[in-house]
Amino acid sequence: MQIVLPPEVEALVQRQLTSGKYQNAIAVILAGIKLLEQQEDNYQGRLQDLQQEARIGWEASERGEVVDGSAAMDQIRANVRSRYGVSDKA
C-alpha cells in the first residue's frame, strides 16, 4: 500500500523523527494508529456507560422514581458548594 501524506503531516512525522523518539516513519504512523485505537476504545466504553446510565434512569422513571428538575438542581448546587466550599454569592 502506498500512501501520500499531506505536507503538514509529513512535517509532523519529520519532527517526531528529529526528536529521536522514533526510528522511522512507520513507527510514528503506528504510534498514531495505536492512539486512534485507544481513543476509539475509550469512546466505545464511555458510550456503553452512558447507555447503561440512560437505561437506569429510564427504568427509575418508569417506576415513578423521579425528582423535580428544580429540586435536583438545588441538590446538585448544594453538593458542589459543600464539596468545593463555593458560596452562594458569585
Side-chain angles (χ1 to χ4, degrees), residues 53-69 72:
E53 290 172 15
R55 270 192 296 279
I56 290 168
W58 178 259
E59 291 167 1
S61 71
E62 289 287 302
R63 294 188 301 269
E65 301 170 357
V66 294
V67 176
D68 174 69

Side-chain angles (χ1 to χ4, degrees), residues 4-23:
V4 177
L5 300 176
E8 59 274 8
V9 176
E10 282 188 39
L12 173 63
V13 170
Q14 190 57 48
R15 284 194 305 272
Q16 294 300 313
L17 292 173
T18 302
S19 76
K21 290 190 245 180
Y22 301 95
Q23 293 183 355

